[in-house]
């Protein structure tokens, strides 16, 4: 039985309808395939891309994550390293931002589908996927 908590489904990157099926085909640390998604939920058969181009909106969430990383990084560098030169900010913040790309990409899509797809949780949806 699936967990009805939306927060748990977001953190685990699960289907917004059944909270069981995985949204992505590979783990986040597979750097060559971290962005590959199932077209349909493996558990309930829900089509993840509600309409063509649906996930373009997730770019705004990813942008917010990146800006947050840059602001927090700048504050940490300023407070712990005594206001270094411009390169002292640019290099570490850029490296951290690049390392966070898989996380940003995946979480932005998961948050976007859970918040903006208007798909509601159905406790009886799990295990109803149709095989093709």
């Amino acid at each position: 039985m699936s967990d009805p908590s939306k927060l748990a489904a977001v953190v685990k990157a699960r289907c917004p309808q059944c909270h069981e099926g995985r949204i992505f085909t590979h783990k986040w640390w597979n750097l060559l395939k971290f962005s590959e998604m199932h077209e349909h939920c493996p558990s309930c058969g829900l089509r993840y891309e509600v309409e063509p181009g649906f996930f373009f909106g997730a770019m705004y969430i990813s942008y917010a994550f990146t800006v947050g990383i840059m602001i927090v990084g700048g504050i940490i560098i300023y407070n712990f390293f005594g206001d270094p030169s411009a390169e002292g900010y640019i290099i570490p913040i850029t490296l951290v931002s690049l390392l966070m790309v898989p996380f940003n990409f995946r979480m932005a899509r998961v948050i976007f589908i859970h918040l903006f797809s208007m798909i509601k949780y159905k406790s009886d949806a799990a295990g109803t996927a149709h095989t093709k």
Side-chain angles (χ1 to χ4, degrees):
M1 174 142 302
S2 59
D3 181 2
S5 166
K6 184 176 280 288
L7 180 61
V10 169
V11 169
K12 295 177 183 177
R14 303 301 174 141
C15 172
Q17 181 169 279
C18 69
H19 293 188
E20 269 190 32
R22 293 181 184 273
I23 293 177
F24 294 94
T25 59
H26 297 84
K27 300 289 185 184
W28 65 269
W29 58 79
N30 186 337
L31 296 180
L32 298 177
K33 297 182 179 184
F34 73 88
S35 64
E36 292 182 11
M37 294 179 61
H38 291 286
E39 189 172 328
H40 297 273
C41 174
S43 182
C44 70
L46 173 74
R47 179 173 164 79
Y48 289 133
E49 191 169 14
V50 179
E51 59 188 30
F54 174 73
F55 287 110
F56 283 130
M59 289 188 299
Y60 293 103
I61 296 172
S62 179
Y63 176 74
F65 282 157
T66 303
V67 168
I69 289 168
M70 290 181 173
I71 290 171
V72 169
I75 291 170
I76 289 171
I77 291 169
Y78 179 80
N79 286 322
F80 290 105
F81 298 101
D83 195 19
S85 64
E87 293 86 17
Y89 287 99
I90 294 170
I91 293 170
I93 290 173
T94 302
L95 289 174
V96 170
S97 295
L98 289 174
L99 289 172
M100 295 295 291
V101 166
F103 171 81
N104 283 349
F105 179 88
R106 291 171 69 108
M107 288 312 297
R109 283 191 171 214
V110 171
I111 289 170
F112 194 75
I113 195 170
H114 275 271
L115 293 181
F116 298 108
S117 66
M118 305 309 247
I119 297 168
K120 302 294 181 202
Y121 170 71
K122 296 179 185 173
S123 59
D124 59 342
T128 60
H130 301 306
T131 56
K132 293 184 180 183

